[in-house]
Amino acid sequence: MTKKPELLLPVGNIEMCRAAIHNGANAIYVGMPEFNARGRTTDHSFEQLEEIIQLCHLYGVKVHVAFNIVIFQDELARAIELLQKLLPLGPDAIIVQDLGLVKVIKEMAPWQEIHASTQMTITNELAIELTKDLQIERYVLGRENSLSEIKTIKENTDKEIEVFVHGALCVAYSGQCFTSESIGGRSANRGQCAQSCRFEYDLIVDDKKVDLIDQKYLVSPQDLCGINEIESLKELGVDSLKVEGRLKSPNFVASVASSYRKAIDNSKFTKEDIEQMAISYSRGFFPGWLHGVNHQELVDSTFGSNRGLKIGQVQEVRKSSIIIASDKDLSNGDGLLFASTNREKKLELGSMIYDIKSLKNRRFEIFLAKDFKTQSIQAGFNVYQTSSPSLTKELTKSFNDREKLLRREISISLEAKVGEKLQLTASIDKQEVTVQSESELEVAKNDINLDNIRKELCALSSTPFKCQTPIINISENSPFIANKVLKNLRQRAVKELSEKILKQDLGEVLSAKLPDLSESFNQRESKIRPLLRELSQLEGLIPLLNSNPNIKNKIEFIILDYEFGKDYKESLELLKSAGIESAIATNRILKPNEYHHLKVLTRLAPDYVLVRNLGALQFFKENASNLKLIGDFSLNVTNSISADYLFSKGLMTLTPSYDLNRDQLLSMVKHSQRKDFEVTIHQYMPSFHMEHCVYAAFLSNGKSFKDCGKPCEKHKVELHDSFGNKHFIKADSECRNTMYNAVAISAPTLLKDCLGIGVSRFRIEALHEESSVIFDKLKTFCKLLENELSPSEVNLHLGLHENYGLSQGQIFKEDTYVDRKKS
């Protein structure tokens, strides 16, 4: 028999918790106070968190606490302080993104179960193998993994696997999105996502705007709905099915939980179940990437926010009413949204039904609020149902009406013998309690009414329990059982059983040692590592470097990060002939069976490999131990514990996360045992990194690389945002797209700061510049290293090359995590 997976629901408050419990959740996940990946939620106290944990445990529901953000060096002490409050509460699991935090938790509580957050960007079995020594029990896979990829991962690990099945889809890989950071200084890795993927963008192809009419939301995916794939996921042995939505409502939780409970239990979920989920919240439903990529359907592109359930179209507009055609029955009070189609200027208007008349052929005359602008609507507009008072009432009852609440079946047995104390035993699972009356039983004067005794024993409606068939053992000489005594025993037994359920035998919470300052270092000659993205850039740069030996001497090696791998061999030959060492970057994402490009890199044998994901690091450890490996920003290193862990895996240098500002970066370096960091001092920040291909979606009719015609090889694509910036889009060898921020980030003052604490490796990234511009940037930074230019002079000079000027990006912003939380 196929094992039933856990159904895991999101909880942002106690009402959502009740909605999850009473609609079929096996587990819930809730944010860690102060630190979690939903910075816009109302933060709760540890007292409220304890209430949630105890309520769930009474009902046999597990609680996973999401501590799923990267931790900065100077936050480690606070993190430990909060863990000392959390661990005694007995969470069933802690969901963690930060590798260093995993080590801290295991040091404090070796017994605590830890789940690797989807923010850790685990998309293959090799990443799981690499981190086995961290003793993580479960891995939450990236939303982009397909059913076949999940199958491969599950077959190649003994760890538990968790998969998202419902809720909002981030277009970018979790843990790999720096769009909010680069545009507005709000880090998605810190729970402060600005939802930039839901913005409007114009498509610019080869420097010309493409008229897409009403298609403006080019990177806003439809919501994930994997309810039709539940049987497949069960067959694959997936351990937990996760729903996204801690920012949503209790009714959303109730609707989704009850629908997916039916699907898991093999009950036949209905079309109405899916419609109810859509009315509760929907940007349109789609199975995401569970069946692989489909670039024509993932993104609708005509809207970016909740629209509810599409129910029909406007057929006629009258003076005070609207005629619509719909297969759905509507009622007074229902909320409707009318949305334009095929118009350059999008129009959406919403109102509530005040009256409705049924016409022939499933047509309805709708009367709306008096101030509703009926004449703004046109025939052909789509109609969506956004609310339903009757549905809201039904869903609310599911977790507020005592008659509908979940009850856990307990066993109750009563022993009644004359001359002995009345004894009642209650048990559930492995928990059992026995209570006795104060005095011995006497012989009854009248016959015993067994029905009344059963009724009293089963009077559990104000508790989380129920008992269908209590066992009653009564001696032949009929003892007298006072109803008051029986009631008292039942209440005592339930109270003690509840206390026993909530009592957890946890291990001792130990202290954790914070990293000491490690300011000693061997001063090394400073070197620059340019990163190039096209063969033409390298071909033009090498002669310039050969003509300027002083600048060439400052280049440690050149990193190649090409869109297509076919030019690597020629590039390595060019570098070798010029006497310059080489490095090649891996893809940012590695999925099962995507090892071809890693094998190619192994055969090419560059001097270094820039490793961008945990799986690639494990691949080279297993298959090419002779290669020299350096770690990139995408490994999300923000504290010295994470850094030391990855250094121990064989990395020669590490590029810190782009989430760090100046002070946070310097603090991490000062506390790290090794100072082998490579700091990026000039770049266009890689913002979105996504499975979705803008080229295929809007420049072809293809669903994937198999039938898209590869427009990425023929065109230059940019996304033009509402702030006037054009963000460049590039594809990698697996057709994944990266959007680069239009504004270049430059931090010459950071270079001087880093030199003073032992960092001597600096990266300058090119994007689409010509080789002469790249050379000029290298020359400028070399002059900075030689104290021939000041940082302000560097910025002034570099700004001449940039269409949108220069920014200091996140480097000099002051990050205060809790500022964006509601209280």
Side-chain angles (χ1 to χ4, degrees):
M1 182 178 177
T2 304
K3 171 190 165 188
K4 285 186 183 180
E6 169 188 273
L7 177 59
L8 177 59
L9 271 294
V11 163
N13 53 50
I14 195 70
E15 278 288 285
M16 292 173 74
C17 181
R18 293 193 186 100
I21 289 171
H22 296 294
N23 283 279
N26 302 112
I28 62 106
Y29 63 102
V30 61
M32 175 74 173
E34 291 190 31
F35 291 104
N36 67 81
R38 285 295 180 271
R40 293 176 292 131
T41 59
T42 300
D43 213 0
H44 44 255
S45 66
F46 278 94
E47 289 75 21
Q48 291 169 321
L49 180 57
E50 182 178 23
E51 180 186 4
I52 287 172
I53 290 174
Q54 291 194 347
L55 179 63
C56 285
H57 285 177
L58 265 181
Y59 284 93
V61 173
K62 292 184 176 181
V63 179
H64 306 167
V65 175
F67 203 157
N68 52 342
I69 62 169
V70 291
I71 306 296
F72 299 148
Q73 189 71 37
D74 294 338
E75 293 174 334
L76 286 171
R78 180 59 175 162
I80 290 171
E81 183 182 334
L82 295 180
L83 283 168
Q84 288 168 338
K85 292 183 177 181
L86 171 67
L87 292 166
L89 301 183
D92 298 281
I94 304 178
I95 307 168
V96 182
Q97 172 183 7
D98 193 286
L99 295 169
L101 184 62
V102 176
K103 290 182 68 67
V104 169
I105 295 172
K106 285 297 185 180
E107 183 180 350
M108 296 179 68
W111 39 267
Q112 177 62 58
E113 183 167 318
I114 292 180
H115 297 172
S117 168
T118 190
Q119 291 286 123
M120 206 179 279
T121 322
I122 303 296
T123 55
N124 61 84
E125 68 277 13
L126 291 180
I128 296 174
E129 184 65 28
L130 180 82
T131 54
K132 263 195 172 179
D133 56 345
L134 292 175
Q135 298 178 303
I136 296 170
E137 283 82 4
R138 178 186 293 179
Y139 290 80
V140 187
L141 299 183
R143 293 171 176 86
E144 294 80 0
N145 280 120
S146 67
L147 290 170
S148 62
E149 291 161 352
I150 294 168
K151 180 176 186 291
T152 299
I153 294 170
K154 184 63 180 173
E155 288 174 348
N156 286 278
T157 183
D158 57 358
K159 299 293 186 179
E160 292 187 4
I161 295 299
E162 183 171 302
V163 173
F164 277 93
V165 292
H166 195 91
L169 271 181
C170 301
V171 76
Y173 273 88
S174 295
Q176 301 299 317
C177 181
F178 292 91
T179 316
S180 298
E181 179 73 83
S182 62
I183 291 178
R186 294 172 56 177
S187 168
N189 277 329
R190 300 280 291 166
Q192 298 173 342
C193 174
Q195 294 195 314
S196 306
C197 55
R198 308 297 179 186
F199 292 175
E200 292 186 9
Y201 294 92
D202 288 325
L203 184 67
I204 310 296
V205 179
D206 301 330
D207 298 319
K208 294 181 181 179
K209 179 182 173 181
V210 177
D211 184 8
L212 296 175
I213 308 176
D214 61 339
Q215 292 180 296
K216 297 287 187 180
Y217 299 90
L218 306 185
V219 287
S220 178
Q222 300 185 71
D223 286 350
L224 170 63
C225 181
I227 196 165
N228 290 305
E229 287 69 35
I230 295 302
E231 280 304 311
S232 297
L233 290 165
K234 286 167 63 176
E235 290 172 8
L236 295 181
V238 170
D239 300 278
S240 180
L241 304 176
K242 188 171 195 172
V243 174
E244 180 278 335
R246 277 187 286 143
L247 290 173
K248 296 188 176 74
S249 68
N251 285 339
F252 167 85
V253 171
S255 173
V256 175
S258 61
S259 298
Y260 278 83
R261 185 75 269 157
K262 290 180 183 178
I264 293 171
D265 292 345
N266 295 316
S267 302
K268 190 174 181 182
F269 65 91
T270 64
K271 176 185 175 185
E272 285 69 30
D273 290 319
I274 297 176
E275 289 178 347
Q276 287 182 8
M277 291 193 293
I279 293 170
S280 298
Y281 194 96
S282 168
R283 298 184 186 91
F285 283 158
F286 186 66
W289 288 279
L290 288 172
H291 297 290
V293 296
N294 186 333
H295 299 307
Q296 298 304 318
E297 295 188 22
L298 176 71
V299 171
D300 177 278
S301 75
T302 61
F303 63 95
S305 58
N306 174 34
R307 278 193 167 182
L309 174 68
K310 185 177 178 180
I311 60 169
Q313 283 191 323
V314 174
Q315 290 202 331
E316 181 185 346
V317 178
R318 296 179 178 175
K319 184 177 180 180
S320 58
S321 64
I322 294 173
I323 308 299
I324 70 169
S326 176
D327 290 331
K328 179 140 180 79
D329 292 327
L330 298 168
S331 304
N332 289 348
D334 288 349
L336 297 182
L337 175 73
F338 300 90
S340 60
T341 58
N342 297 318
R343 286 170 51 133
E344 185 171 354
K345 189 173 178 64
K346 180 182 61 125
L347 179 65
E348 292 185 353
L349 292 172
S351 185
M352 184 177 68
I353 297 175
Y354 275 74
D355 196 11
I356 183 169
K357 293 181 180 178
S358 294
L359 307 176
K360 292 181 179 179
N361 301 319
R362 298 300 302 175
R363 295 164 70 246
F364 300 91
E365 185 174 11
I366 306 291
F367 297 86
L368 303 162
K370 290 182 179 179
D371 60 350
F372 183 74
K373 300 176 182 178
T374 307
Q375 300 310 312
S376 298
I377 305 302
Q378 297 177 11
F381 273 34
N382 287 327
V383 185
Y384 299 83
Q385 184 176 2
T386 56
S387 64
S388 165
S390 61
L391 175 60
T392 298
K393 183 178 180 181
E394 180 185 341
L395 292 173
T396 304
K397 273 186 176 182
S398 72
F399 55 92
N400 280 335
D401 186 335
R402 182 180 288 186
E403 297 301 317
K404 293 182 177 292
L405 299 185
L406 173 70
R407 308 281 179 204
R408 296 180 72 190
E409 184 72 36
I410 63 173
S411 298
I412 293 179
S413 62
L414 186 72
E415 296 287 338
K417 294 182 180 179
V418 173
E420 295 182 13
K421 293 181 178 181
L422 183 62
Q423 179 174 291
L424 189 153
T425 298
S427 64
I428 183 171
D429 298 331
K430 297 180 180 179
Q431 309 288 349
E432 182 177 283
V433 297
T434 299
V435 293
Q436 293 182 328
S437 60
E438 293 182 2
S439 55
E440 290 81 8
L441 296 174
E442 298 178 356
V443 176
K445 296 179 180 179
N446 301 313
D447 291 338
I448 292 177
N449 190 325
L450 288 177
D451 288 339
N452 286 343
I453 292 176
R454 287 192 189 93
K455 186 176 180 180
E456 182 59 50
L457 291 176
C458 295
L460 299 167
S461 61
S462 61
T463 77
F465 309 117
K466 64 180 179 180
C467 180
Q468 304 281 21
T469 53
I471 299 171
I472 303 172
N473 295 318
I474 296 179
S475 59
E476 295 180 0
N477 48 355
S478 299
F480 172 68
I481 303 174
N483 193 64
K484 184 178 180 181
V485 172
L486 187 59
K487 180 179 180 180
N488 177 265
L489 284 185
R490 171 179 54 77
Q491 291 175 338
R492 281 173 52 200
V494 168
K495 182 174 182 293
E496 291 185 19
L497 184 61
S498 298
E499 290 171 350
K500 197 161 189 177
I501 291 170
L502 295 180
K503 185 179 179 181
Q504 300 184 75
D505 296 323
L506 302 175
E508 179 186 1
V509 177
L510 307 172
S511 59
K513 188 176 184 298
L514 286 169
D516 295 324
L517 279 171
S518 177
E519 295 185 328
S520 62
F521 57 87
N522 295 320
Q523 187 70 54
R524 296 192 299 166
E525 181 185 2
S526 55
K527 293 285 188 179
I528 294 175
R529 298 171 172 178
L531 183 146
L532 307 181
R533 302 190 190 275
E534 297 171 8
L535 173 60
S536 60
Q537 292 173 332
L538 181 65
E539 290 173 329
L541 183 61
I542 286 179
L544 294 171
L545 291 175
N546 286 336
S547 301
N548 293 269
N550 289 337
I551 297 174
K552 182 178 179 181
N553 186 52
K554 279 293 181 184
I555 306 299
E556 183 178 20
F557 51 77
I558 292 179
I559 305 169
L560 308 176
D561 183 18
Y562 293 170
E563 193 166 335
F564 310 107
K566 62 180 183 295
D567 294 329
Y568 280 138
K569 185 177 180 181
E570 182 180 351
S571 296
L572 293 184
E573 291 171 352
L574 285 171
L575 286 168
K576 189 173 182 179
S577 64
I580 302 172
E581 289 198 311
S582 61
I584 298 179
T586 71
N587 291 332
R588 245 164 108 178
I589 298 298
L590 180 68
K591 286 189 171 185
N593 304 317
E594 287 186 355
Y595 306 127
H596 173 72
H597 77 285
L598 298 181
K599 293 175 182 177
V600 169
L601 293 192
T602 302
R603 290 196 299 271
L604 289 170
D607 297 295
Y608 297 85
V609 173
L610 179 62
V611 176
R612 287 180 164 160
N613 62 77
L614 298 174
L617 179 54
Q618 180 65 20
F619 177 89
F620 291 123
K621 282 169 61 69
E622 292 179 0
N623 299 284
S625 57
N626 59 314
L627 283 175
K628 291 182 282 190
L629 308 177
I630 56 177
D632 209 357
F633 72 94
S634 49
L635 298 177
N636 287 331
V637 173
T638 58
N639 60 70
S640 62
I641 304 176
S642 296
D644 291 341
Y645 176 75
L646 287 175
F647 278 134
S648 75
K649 295 295 183 180
L651 294 176
M652 298 182 67
T653 63
L654 268 170
T655 301
S657 167
Y658 293 157
D659 283 305
L660 297 172
N661 67 21
R662 171 191 176 276
D663 293 340
Q664 292 155 353
L665 188 151
L666 297 180
S667 179
M668 179 187 73
V669 174
K670 289 176 181 178
H671 286 83
S672 296
Q673 295 301 309
R674 288 171 56 178
K675 312 301 178 184
D676 299 311
F677 292 97
E678 171 193 337
V679 175
T680 304
I681 54 174
H682 189 89
Q683 66 161 327
Y684 298 87
M685 185 181 281
S687 304
F688 292 133
H689 186 67
M690 48 195 176
E691 194 77 23
H692 176 55
C693 181
V694 175
Y695 291 88
F698 300 104
L699 299 182
S700 84
N701 294 316
K703 295 181 178 180
S704 71
F705 73 93
K706 296 177 182 179
D707 58 356
C708 71
K710 298 184 179 179
C712 56
E713 296 183 2
K714 308 178 187 74
H715 301 286
K716 181 181 81 171
V717 168
E718 297 165 292
L719 296 185
H720 189 181
D721 67 24
S722 58
F723 306 106
N725 301 316
K726 294 177 182 176
H727 305 280
F728 197 67
I729 301 283
K730 284 187 77 71
D732 67 14
S733 60
E734 294 293 343
C735 301
R736 296 182 186 109
N737 285 190
T738 301
M739 184 180 90
Y740 292 87
N741 197 311
V743 181
I745 293 174
S746 195
T749 57
L750 187 62
L751 183 147
K752 293 293 187 181
D753 292 330
C754 290
L755 286 173
I757 58 172
V759 175
S760 59
R761 298 297 182 264
F762 303 98
R763 187 190 304 177
I764 296 172
E765 291 199 359
L767 184 56
H768 45 61
E769 305 97 308
E770 293 182 357
S771 52
S772 59
V773 174
I774 298 168
F775 177 75
D776 191 59
K777 291 180 179 182
L778 292 174
K779 182 169 67 173
T780 302
F781 276 102
C782 285
K783 287 183 178 181
L784 176 66
L785 285 170
E786 297 299 327
N787 294 313
E788 295 177 17
L789 288 177
S790 68
S792 59
E793 289 173 322
V794 169
N795 276 337
L796 183 63
H797 182 75
L798 293 177
L800 299 175
H801 294 300
E802 309 299 348
N803 292 333
Y804 299 97
L806 287 178
S807 166
Q808 294 179 339
Q810 86 290 359
I811 298 296
F812 294 97
K813 76 178 178 67
E814 295 182 3
D815 182 280
T816 305
Y817 180 79
V818 294
D819 275 359
R820 297 190 191 278
K821 275 203 173 283
K822 301 173 184 176
S823 58

